[in-house]
Each structure stands twice: as C-alpha cells, then as structure tokens.
mmCIF file of all heavy atoms in Angstrom:
data_model
loop_
_atom_site.group_PDB
_atom_site.id
_atom_site.type_symbol
_atom_site.label_atom_id
_atom_site.label_comp_id
_atom_site.label_asym_id
_atom_site.label_seq_id
_atom_site.Cartn_x
_atom_site.Cartn_y
_atom_site.Cartn_z
ATOM 1 N N SER S 1201 30.024 16.707 39.608
ATOM 2 C CA SER S 1201 31.234 16.517 40.412
ATOM 3 C C SER S 1201 32.265 17.591 40.109
ATOM 4 O O SER S 1201 32.973 18.061 41.008
ATOM 5 C CB SER S 1201 31.830 15.132 40.148
ATOM 6 O OG SER S 1201 32.223 14.990 38.796
ATOM 7 N N ARG S 1202 32.366 18.000 38.842
ATOM 8 C CA ARG S 1202 33.305 19.061 38.486
ATOM 9 C C ARG S 1202 32.866 20.409 39.075
ATOM 10 O O ARG S 1202 33.692 21.258 39.377
ATOM 11 C CB ARG S 1202 33.427 19.170 36.965
ATOM 12 C CG ARG S 1202 34.138 17.978 36.331
ATOM 13 C CD ARG S 1202 35.570 17.881 36.818
ATOM 14 N NE ARG S 1202 36.275 16.768 36.211
ATOM 15 C CZ ARG S 1202 37.058 16.859 35.144
ATOM 16 N NH1 ARG S 1202 37.217 18.027 34.545
ATOM 17 N NH2 ARG S 1202 37.684 15.800 34.676
ATOM 18 N N LEU S 1203 31.542 20.593 39.220
ATOM 19 C CA LEU S 1203 31.057 21.829 39.834
ATOM 20 C C LEU S 1203 31.533 21.921 41.268
ATOM 21 O O LEU S 1203 31.974 22.987 41.729
ATOM 22 C CB LEU S 1203 29.527 21.869 39.774
ATOM 23 C CG LEU S 1203 28.871 23.046 40.498
ATOM 24 C CD1 LEU S 1203 29.249 24.361 39.836
ATOM 25 C CD2 LEU S 1203 27.358 22.877 40.520
ATOM 26 N N ILE S 1204 31.473 20.809 41.992
ATOM 27 C CA ILE S 1204 31.930 20.802 43.386
ATOM 28 C C ILE S 1204 33.416 21.124 43.453
ATOM 29 O O ILE S 1204 33.858 21.947 44.271
ATOM 30 C CB ILE S 1204 31.634 19.437 44.024
ATOM 31 C CG1 ILE S 1204 30.123 19.193 44.075
ATOM 32 C CG2 ILE S 1204 32.228 19.356 45.425
ATOM 33 C CD1 ILE S 1204 29.730 17.811 44.530
ATOM 34 N N LYS S 1205 34.206 20.490 42.582
ATOM 35 C CA LYS S 1205 35.644 20.781 42.554
ATOM 36 C C LYS S 1205 35.898 22.240 42.206
ATOM 37 O O LYS S 1205 36.790 22.883 42.763
ATOM 38 C CB LYS S 1205 36.334 19.877 41.536
ATOM 39 C CG LYS S 1205 36.311 18.404 41.904
ATOM 40 C CD LYS S 1205 36.981 17.582 40.814
ATOM 41 C CE LYS S 1205 36.929 16.097 41.127
ATOM 42 N NZ LYS S 1205 37.534 15.286 40.044
ATOM 43 N N GLY S 1206 35.113 22.750 41.250
ATOM 44 C CA GLY S 1206 35.291 24.138 40.851
ATOM 45 C C GLY S 1206 34.986 25.111 41.972
ATOM 46 O O GLY S 1206 35.677 26.119 42.139
ATOM 47 N N MET S 1207 33.956 24.825 42.756
ATOM 48 C CA MET S 1207 33.609 25.698 43.863
ATOM 49 C C MET S 1207 34.687 25.664 44.953
ATOM 50 O O MET S 1207 34.960 26.676 45.595
ATOM 51 C CB MET S 1207 32.251 25.293 44.449
ATOM 52 C CG MET S 1207 31.084 25.596 43.532
ATOM 53 S SD MET S 1207 31.005 27.369 43.089
ATOM 54 C CE MET S 1207 29.540 27.385 42.060
ATOM 55 N N ILE S 1208 35.301 24.506 45.141
ATOM 56 C CA ILE S 1208 36.401 24.432 46.102
ATOM 57 C C ILE S 1208 37.587 25.256 45.614
ATOM 58 O O ILE S 1208 38.207 26.017 46.374
ATOM 59 C CB ILE S 1208 36.818 22.965 46.317
ATOM 60 C CG1 ILE S 1208 35.683 22.189 47.003
ATOM 61 C CG2 ILE S 1208 38.092 22.874 47.163
ATOM 62 C CD1 ILE S 1208 35.937 20.695 47.101
ATOM 63 N N ASP S 1209 37.886 25.147 44.313
ATOM 64 C CA ASP S 1209 38.992 25.923 43.755
ATOM 65 C C ASP S 1209 38.679 27.418 43.715
ATOM 66 O O ASP S 1209 39.592 28.238 43.642
ATOM 67 C CB ASP S 1209 39.336 25.434 42.349
ATOM 68 C CG ASP S 1209 40.204 24.187 42.379
ATOM 69 O OD1 ASP S 1209 41.072 24.107 43.263
ATOM 70 O OD2 ASP S 1209 40.013 23.299 41.541
ATOM 71 N N LEU S 1210 37.391 27.757 43.745
ATOM 72 C CA LEU S 1210 37.018 29.163 43.802
ATOM 73 C C LEU S 1210 37.615 29.828 45.043
ATOM 74 O O LEU S 1210 38.069 30.982 44.997
ATOM 75 C CB LEU S 1210 35.493 29.299 43.810
ATOM 76 C CG LEU S 1210 34.915 30.707 43.956
ATOM 77 C CD1 LEU S 1210 35.372 31.591 42.815
ATOM 78 C CD2 LEU S 1210 33.397 30.645 43.992
ATOM 79 N N PHE S 1211 37.634 29.099 46.134
ATOM 80 C CA PHE S 1211 38.241 29.619 47.359
ATOM 81 C C PHE S 1211 39.737 29.853 47.155
ATOM 82 O O PHE S 1211 40.303 30.845 47.616
ATOM 83 C CB PHE S 1211 38.007 28.625 48.505
ATOM 84 C CG PHE S 1211 38.186 29.202 49.873
ATOM 85 C CD1 PHE S 1211 37.243 30.057 50.410
ATOM 86 C CD2 PHE S 1211 39.303 28.899 50.625
ATOM 87 C CE1 PHE S 1211 37.404 30.603 51.675
ATOM 88 C CE2 PHE S 1211 39.480 29.428 51.884
ATOM 89 C CZ PHE S 1211 38.525 30.290 52.418
ATOM 90 N N THR S 1212 40.380 28.934 46.424
ATOM 91 C CA THR S 1212 41.804 29.091 46.116
ATOM 92 C C THR S 1212 42.047 30.335 45.279
ATOM 93 O O THR S 1212 42.999 31.090 45.513
ATOM 94 C CB THR S 1212 42.315 27.853 45.354
ATOM 95 O OG1 THR S 1212 42.109 26.690 46.149
ATOM 96 C CG2 THR S 1212 43.796 27.985 45.031
ATOM 97 N N VAL S 1213 41.174 30.552 44.297
ATOM 98 C CA VAL S 1213 41.339 31.717 43.425
ATOM 99 C C VAL S 1213 41.150 33.009 44.210
ATOM 100 O O VAL S 1213 41.866 34.000 43.998
ATOM 101 C CB VAL S 1213 40.346 31.645 42.243
ATOM 102 C CG1 VAL S 1213 40.414 32.908 41.405
ATOM 103 C CG2 VAL S 1213 40.661 30.437 41.380
ATOM 104 N N LEU S 1214 40.190 33.032 45.114
ATOM 105 C CA LEU S 1214 40.016 34.215 45.952
ATOM 106 C C LEU S 1214 41.279 34.512 46.749
ATOM 107 O O LEU S 1214 41.704 35.658 46.883
ATOM 108 C CB LEU S 1214 38.828 34.008 46.904
ATOM 109 C CG LEU S 1214 37.436 34.248 46.333
ATOM 110 C CD1 LEU S 1214 36.377 33.809 47.328
ATOM 111 C CD2 LEU S 1214 37.258 35.707 45.958
ATOM 112 N N LEU S 1215 41.885 33.460 47.275
ATOM 113 C CA LEU S 1215 43.108 33.640 48.055
ATOM 114 C C LEU S 1215 44.266 34.123 47.190
ATOM 115 O O LEU S 1215 45.115 34.889 47.649
ATOM 116 C CB LEU S 1215 43.500 32.323 48.730
ATOM 117 C CG LEU S 1215 42.749 31.971 50.010
ATOM 118 C CD1 LEU S 1215 43.108 30.569 50.464
ATOM 119 C CD2 LEU S 1215 43.081 32.975 51.111
ATOM 120 N N SER S 1216 44.307 33.666 45.928
ATOM 121 C CA SER S 1216 45.433 34.011 45.070
ATOM 122 C C SER S 1216 45.227 35.300 44.287
ATOM 123 O O SER S 1216 46.128 35.740 43.584
ATOM 124 C CB SER S 1216 45.709 32.867 44.083
ATOM 125 O OG SER S 1216 44.586 32.637 43.253
ATOM 126 N N THR S 1217 44.042 35.911 44.379
ATOM 127 C CA THR S 1217 43.796 37.165 43.662
ATOM 128 C C THR S 1217 43.450 38.291 44.637
ATOM 129 O O THR S 1217 44.311 39.013 45.095
ATOM 130 C CB THR S 1217 42.667 36.979 42.630
ATOM 131 O OG1 THR S 1217 41.487 36.468 43.279
ATOM 132 C CG2 THR S 1217 43.092 36.018 41.535
ATOM 133 N N ARG S 1218 42.186 38.383 44.998
ATOM 134 C CA ARG S 1218 41.729 39.504 45.829
ATOM 135 C C ARG S 1218 42.386 39.520 47.200
ATOM 136 O O ARG S 1218 42.658 40.589 47.757
ATOM 137 C CB ARG S 1218 40.204 39.424 45.970
ATOM 138 C CG ARG S 1218 39.597 40.643 46.652
ATOM 139 C CD ARG S 1218 38.097 40.486 46.764
ATOM 140 N NE ARG S 1218 37.477 40.270 45.452
ATOM 141 C CZ ARG S 1218 36.174 40.040 45.284
ATOM 142 N NH1 ARG S 1218 35.373 39.961 46.340
ATOM 143 N NH2 ARG S 1218 35.675 39.861 44.076
ATOM 144 N N PHE S 1219 42.652 38.322 47.749
ATOM 145 C CA PHE S 1219 43.226 38.256 49.093
ATOM 146 C C PHE S 1219 44.647 37.682 49.075
ATOM 147 O O PHE S 1219 45.107 37.143 50.066
ATOM 148 C CB PHE S 1219 42.337 37.407 50.006
ATOM 149 C CG PHE S 1219 40.964 37.976 50.196
ATOM 150 C CD1 PHE S 1219 39.906 37.555 49.408
ATOM 151 C CD2 PHE S 1219 40.720 38.941 51.165
ATOM 152 C CE1 PHE S 1219 38.636 38.077 49.573
ATOM 153 C CE2 PHE S 1219 39.454 39.479 51.350
ATOM 154 C CZ PHE S 1219 38.406 39.044 50.550
ATOM 155 N N ARG S 1220 45.307 37.804 47.935
ATOM 156 C CA ARG S 1220 46.640 37.209 47.802
ATOM 157 C C ARG S 1220 47.617 37.751 48.827
ATOM 158 O O ARG S 1220 48.404 37.000 49.419
ATOM 159 C CB ARG S 1220 47.185 37.461 46.392
ATOM 160 C CG ARG S 1220 48.558 36.858 46.156
ATOM 161 C CD ARG S 1220 49.019 37.113 44.743
ATOM 162 N NE ARG S 1220 49.020 38.525 44.428
ATOM 163 C CZ ARG S 1220 49.453 39.022 43.263
ATOM 164 N NH1 ARG S 1220 49.875 38.208 42.332
ATOM 165 N NH2 ARG S 1220 49.426 40.328 43.034
ATOM 166 N N MET S 1221 47.598 39.045 49.061
ATOM 167 C CA MET S 1221 48.538 39.659 49.990
ATOM 168 C C MET S 1221 47.953 39.819 51.388
ATOM 169 O O MET S 1221 48.634 40.311 52.286
ATOM 170 C CB MET S 1221 48.980 41.026 49.449
ATOM 171 C CG MET S 1221 49.646 40.972 48.082
ATOM 172 S SD MET S 1221 51.013 39.803 47.996
ATOM 173 C CE MET S 1221 52.149 40.535 49.153
ATOM 174 N N ARG S 1222 46.717 39.392 51.581
ATOM 175 C CA ARG S 1222 46.088 39.511 52.895
ATOM 176 C C ARG S 1222 45.113 38.357 53.113
ATOM 177 O O ARG S 1222 43.915 38.573 53.309
ATOM 178 C CB ARG S 1222 45.377 40.854 53.032
ATOM 179 C CG ARG S 1222 44.493 41.208 51.836
ATOM 180 C CD ARG S 1222 43.998 42.645 51.867
ATOM 181 N NE ARG S 1222 43.168 42.952 50.715
ATOM 182 C CZ ARG S 1222 41.846 42.881 50.691
ATOM 183 N NH1 ARG S 1222 41.201 42.501 51.783
ATOM 184 N NH2 ARG S 1222 41.164 43.164 49.618
ATOM 185 N N PRO S 1223 45.583 37.123 53.078
ATOM 186 C CA PRO S 1223 44.681 35.973 53.243
ATOM 187 C C PRO S 1223 43.958 35.954 54.573
ATOM 188 O O PRO S 1223 42.862 35.404 54.681
ATOM 189 C CB PRO S 1223 45.612 34.768 53.087
ATOM 190 C CG PRO S 1223 46.976 35.282 53.379
ATOM 191 C CD PRO S 1223 46.981 36.692 52.892
ATOM 192 N N ALA S 1224 44.569 36.530 55.618
ATOM 193 C CA ALA S 1224 43.912 36.549 56.923
ATOM 194 C C ALA S 1224 42.578 37.285 56.869
ATOM 195 O O ALA S 1224 41.654 36.977 57.632
ATOM 196 C CB ALA S 1224 44.827 37.185 57.964
ATOM 197 N N HIS S 1225 42.456 38.255 55.955
ATOM 198 C CA HIS S 1225 41.209 39.014 55.856
ATOM 199 C C HIS S 1225 40.065 38.115 55.406
ATOM 200 O O HIS S 1225 38.947 38.210 55.918
ATOM 201 C CB HIS S 1225 41.382 40.171 54.872
ATOM 202 C CG HIS S 1225 42.247 41.270 55.396
ATOM 203 N ND1 HIS S 1225 42.166 42.564 54.954
ATOM 204 C CD2 HIS S 1225 43.219 41.260 56.337
ATOM 205 C CE1 HIS S 1225 43.057 43.318 55.598
ATOM 206 N NE2 HIS S 1225 43.700 42.538 56.437
ATOM 207 N N LEU S 1226 40.325 37.248 54.421
ATOM 208 C CA LEU S 1226 39.271 36.369 53.938
ATOM 209 C C LEU S 1226 38.784 35.440 55.044
ATOM 210 O O LEU S 1226 37.578 35.281 55.258
ATOM 211 C CB LEU S 1226 39.789 35.553 52.748
ATOM 212 C CG LEU S 1226 38.821 34.505 52.185
ATOM 213 C CD1 LEU S 1226 37.532 35.151 51.720
ATOM 214 C CD2 LEU S 1226 39.470 33.727 51.045
ATOM 215 N N PHE S 1227 39.714 34.827 55.755
ATOM 216 C CA PHE S 1227 39.328 33.919 56.832
ATOM 217 C C PHE S 1227 38.668 34.682 57.981
ATOM 218 O O PHE S 1227 37.766 34.159 58.644
ATOM 219 C CB PHE S 1227 40.548 33.157 57.339
ATOM 220 C CG PHE S 1227 41.041 32.117 56.379
ATOM 221 C CD1 PHE S 1227 42.074 32.388 55.500
ATOM 222 C CD2 PHE S 1227 40.463 30.856 56.336
ATOM 223 C CE1 PHE S 1227 42.533 31.432 54.609
ATOM 224 C CE2 PHE S 1227 40.907 29.893 55.450
ATOM 225 C CZ PHE S 1227 41.944 30.184 54.578
ATOM 226 N N ALA S 1228 39.107 35.914 58.201
ATOM 227 C CA ALA S 1228 38.505 36.711 59.263
ATOM 228 C C ALA S 1228 37.073 37.106 58.914
ATOM 229 O O ALA S 1228 36.199 37.147 59.789
ATOM 230 C CB ALA S 1228 39.344 37.957 59.521
ATOM 231 N N TYR S 1229 36.805 37.394 57.620
ATOM 232 C CA TYR S 1229 35.449 37.728 57.198
ATOM 233 C C TYR S 1229 34.488 36.574 57.499
ATOM 234 O O TYR S 1229 33.304 36.794 57.763
ATOM 235 C CB TYR S 1229 35.410 38.033 55.701
ATOM 236 C CG TYR S 1229 36.044 39.342 55.317
ATOM 237 C CD1 TYR S 1229 36.566 39.535 54.041
ATOM 238 C CD2 TYR S 1229 36.123 40.401 56.220
ATOM 239 C CE1 TYR S 1229 37.143 40.741 53.679
ATOM 240 C CE2 TYR S 1229 36.696 41.607 55.872
ATOM 241 C CZ TYR S 1229 37.209 41.774 54.604
ATOM 242 O OH TYR S 1229 37.785 42.964 54.239
ATOM 243 N N ILE S 1230 35.004 35.354 57.440
ATOM 244 C CA ILE S 1230 34.166 34.183 57.723
ATOM 245 C C ILE S 1230 34.152 33.864 59.220
ATOM 246 O O ILE S 1230 33.101 33.609 59.816
ATOM 247 C CB ILE S 1230 34.680 32.957 56.942
ATOM 248 C CG1 ILE S 1230 34.639 33.239 55.434
ATOM 249 C CG2 ILE S 1230 33.865 31.714 57.282
ATOM 250 C CD1 ILE S 1230 35.288 32.156 54.591
ATOM 251 N N GLY S 1231 35.340 33.876 59.821
ATOM 252 C CA GLY S 1231 35.473 33.419 61.199
ATOM 253 C C GLY S 1231 34.972 34.393 62.246
ATOM 254 O O GLY S 1231 34.341 33.974 63.233
ATOM 255 N N LEU S 1232 35.218 35.692 62.071
ATOM 256 C CA LEU S 1232 34.845 36.653 63.110
ATOM 257 C C LEU S 1232 33.343 36.739 63.350
ATOM 258 O O LEU S 1232 32.896 36.762 64.511
ATOM 259 C CB LEU S 1232 35.424 38.026 62.781
ATOM 260 C CG LEU S 1232 36.944 38.167 62.980
ATOM 261 C CD1 LEU S 1232 37.402 39.564 62.594
ATOM 262 C CD2 LEU S 1232 37.334 37.853 64.425
ATOM 263 N N PRO S 1233 32.509 36.811 62.304
ATOM 264 C CA PRO S 1233 31.054 36.824 62.572
ATOM 265 C C PRO S 1233 30.570 35.565 63.292
ATOM 266 O O PRO S 1233 29.702 35.643 64.177
ATOM 267 C CB PRO S 1233 30.435 36.921 61.169
ATOM 268 C CG PRO S 1233 31.496 37.533 60.327
ATOM 269 C CD PRO S 1233 32.781 36.990 60.860
ATOM 270 N N ILE S 1234 31.138 34.398 62.910
ATOM 271 C CA ILE S 1234 30.725 33.157 63.573
ATOM 272 C C ILE S 1234 31.162 33.152 65.030
ATOM 273 O O ILE S 1234 30.388 32.822 65.939
ATOM 274 C CB ILE S 1234 31.309 31.941 62.827
ATOM 275 C CG1 ILE S 1234 30.729 31.870 61.406
ATOM 276 C CG2 ILE S 1234 31.027 30.644 63.590
ATOM 277 C CD1 ILE S 1234 31.332 30.775 60.557
ATOM 278 N N ALA S 1235 32.436 33.530 65.271
ATOM 279 C CA ALA S 1235 32.920 33.590 66.646
ATOM 280 C C ALA S 1235 32.156 34.642 67.448
ATOM 281 O O ALA S 1235 31.839 34.428 68.634
ATOM 282 C CB ALA S 1235 34.415 33.908 66.656
ATOM 283 N N GLY S 1236 31.831 35.757 66.811
ATOM 284 C CA GLY S 1236 31.076 36.808 67.492
ATOM 285 C C GLY S 1236 29.700 36.347 67.917
ATOM 286 O O GLY S 1236 29.240 36.647 69.037
ATOM 287 N N SER S 1237 29.035 35.587 67.031
ATOM 288 C CA SER S 1237 27.714 35.082 67.393
ATOM 289 C C SER S 1237 27.824 34.074 68.540
ATOM 290 O O SER S 1237 26.952 34.023 69.418
ATOM 291 C CB SER S 1237 27.046 34.428 66.185
ATOM 292 O OG SER S 1237 27.795 33.311 65.731
ATOM 293 N N GLY S 1238 28.918 33.299 68.569
ATOM 294 C CA GLY S 1238 29.120 32.355 69.660
ATOM 295 C C GLY S 1238 29.344 33.062 70.983
ATOM 296 O O GLY S 1238 28.778 32.677 72.023
ATOM 297 N N PHE S 1239 30.174 34.117 70.956
ATOM 298 C CA PHE S 1239 30.406 34.896 72.172
ATOM 299 C C PHE S 1239 29.111 35.543 72.659
ATOM 300 O O PHE S 1239 28.858 35.622 73.874
ATOM 301 C CB PHE S 1239 31.465 35.970 71.915
ATOM 302 C CG PHE S 1239 32.873 35.465 72.034
ATOM 303 C CD1 PHE S 1239 33.715 35.468 70.942
ATOM 304 C CD2 PHE S 1239 33.359 35.001 73.252
ATOM 305 C CE1 PHE S 1239 35.023 35.003 71.057
ATOM 306 C CE2 PHE S 1239 34.655 34.546 73.372
ATOM 307 C CZ PHE S 1239 35.487 34.538 72.271
ATOM 308 N N ALA S 1240 28.292 36.028 71.717
ATOM 309 C CA ALA S 1240 27.019 36.657 72.098
ATOM 310 C C ALA S 1240 26.110 35.638 72.789
ATOM 311 O O ALA S 1240 25.464 35.946 73.810
ATOM 312 C CB ALA S 1240 26.333 37.228 70.863
ATOM 313 N N ALA S 1241 26.066 34.414 72.250
ATOM 314 C CA ALA S 1241 25.234 33.374 72.845
ATOM 315 C C ALA S 1241 25.722 33.014 74.247
ATOM 316 O O ALA S 1241 24.923 32.870 75.187
ATOM 317 C CB ALA S 1241 25.225 32.133 71.946
ATOM 318 N N LEU S 1242 27.053 32.886 74.396
ATOM 319 C CA LEU S 1242 27.600 32.541 75.702
ATOM 320 C C LEU S 1242 27.408 33.684 76.705
ATOM 321 O O LEU S 1242 27.164 33.448 77.907
ATOM 322 C CB LEU S 1242 29.084 32.206 75.569
ATOM 323 C CG LEU S 1242 29.404 30.942 74.749
ATOM 324 C CD1 LEU S 1242 30.906 30.745 74.650
ATOM 325 C CD2 LEU S 1242 28.734 29.718 75.360
ATOM 326 N N THR S 1243 27.494 34.922 76.237
ATOM 327 C CA THR S 1243 27.257 36.073 77.118
ATOM 328 C C THR S 1243 25.819 36.081 77.609
ATOM 329 O O THR S 1243 25.539 36.326 78.795
ATOM 330 C CB THR S 1243 27.575 37.379 76.373
ATOM 331 O OG1 THR S 1243 28.946 37.371 75.953
ATOM 332 C CG2 THR S 1243 27.328 38.580 77.265
ATOM 333 N N TYR S 1244 24.893 35.805 76.701
ATOM 334 C CA TYR S 1244 23.473 35.753 77.064
ATOM 335 C C TYR S 1244 23.224 34.684 78.130
ATOM 336 O O TYR S 1244 22.536 34.926 79.132
ATOM 337 C CB TYR S 1244 22.649 35.483 75.818
ATOM 338 C CG TYR S 1244 21.220 35.104 76.079
ATOM 339 C CD1 TYR S 1244 20.293 36.058 76.508
ATOM 340 C CD2 TYR S 1244 20.779 33.789 75.892
ATOM 341 C CE1 TYR S 1244 18.969 35.711 76.746
ATOM 342 C CE2 TYR S 1244 19.464 33.444 76.118
ATOM 343 C CZ TYR S 1244 18.570 34.405 76.546
ATOM 344 O OH TYR S 1244 17.253 34.061 76.790
ATOM 345 N N LEU S 1245 23.809 33.509 77.940
ATOM 346 C CA LEU S 1245 23.627 32.433 78.909
ATOM 347 C C LEU S 1245 24.290 32.766 80.243
ATOM 348 O O LEU S 1245 23.769 32.415 81.319
ATOM 349 C CB LEU S 1245 24.215 31.125 78.344
ATOM 350 C CG LEU S 1245 23.470 30.520 77.145
ATOM 351 C CD1 LEU S 1245 24.223 29.308 76.612
ATOM 352 C CD2 LEU S 1245 22.045 30.152 77.517
ATOM 353 N N SER S 1246 25.419 33.461 80.196
ATOM 354 C CA SER S 1246 26.104 33.856 81.437
ATOM 355 C C SER S 1246 25.254 34.824 82.248
ATOM 356 O O SER S 1246 25.177 34.735 83.486
ATOM 357 C CB SER S 1246 27.454 34.492 81.101
ATOM 358 O OG SER S 1246 28.301 33.567 80.441
ATOM 359 N N VAL S 1247 24.591 35.741 81.562
ATOM 360 C CA VAL S 1247 23.710 36.689 82.246
ATOM 361 C C VAL S 1247 22.544 35.946 82.905
ATOM 362 O O VAL S 1247 22.157 36.233 84.045
ATOM 363 C CB VAL S 1247 23.199 37.757 81.255
ATOM 364 C CG1 VAL S 1247 22.113 38.612 81.907
ATOM 365 C CG2 VAL S 1247 24.348 38.620 80.763
ATOM 366 N N LEU S 1248 21.956 34.979 82.181
ATOM 367 C CA LEU S 1248 20.869 34.181 82.760
ATOM 368 C C LEU S 1248 21.331 33.459 84.022
ATOM 369 O O LEU S 1248 20.588 33.372 85.013
ATOM 370 C CB LEU S 1248 20.355 33.166 81.730
ATOM 371 C CG LEU S 1248 19.622 33.709 80.507
ATOM 372 C CD1 LEU S 1248 19.156 32.558 79.615
ATOM 373 C CD2 LEU S 1248 18.420 34.572 80.910
#
C-alpha cells in the first residue's frame, strides 16, 4: 500500500522538481500523444 502511495507522490515530486517551473510540459508529454492517437483514429474513420 505504501508503494502505491509512493508512486502517486512520485508524480508530485516530478512536478516540484524537473517540471516545477513548467508543469504544463509534463501533462503535455502525457496528453498530446494520447490526443494525437485519437485524432489519427478519427481521421482514419472520416476518410472511410
């Protein structure tokens, strides 16, 4: 159970260290590829 809590806090530490002054970058690294794959799928279906 502490491992799960620690992994959640790992995200907090990333935000407060490497991405402290640019938190949008961390979320963008996760969100943009996912959104991009969604747009690609919808584009493919639109062409069909």
Side-chain angles (χ1 to χ4, degrees):
S1201 62
R1202 291 297 181 96
L1203 175 65
I1204 296 173
K1205 294 178 182 178
M1207 290 303 181
I1208 294 173
D1209 279 323
L1210 176 60
F1211 198 74
T1212 301
V1213 175
L1214 279 172
L1215 280 173
S1216 61
T1217 55
R1218 188 180 303 177
F1219 297 95
R1220 181 179 56 176
M1221 301 307 296
R1222 48 191 180 95
H1225 288 205
L1226 176 59
F1227 288 96
Y1229 288 154
I1230 300 173
L1232 287 179
I1234 296 175
S1237 62
F1239 277 117
L1242 294 178
T1243 300
Y1244 167 73
L1245 292 175
S1246 298
V1247 171
L1248 292 181

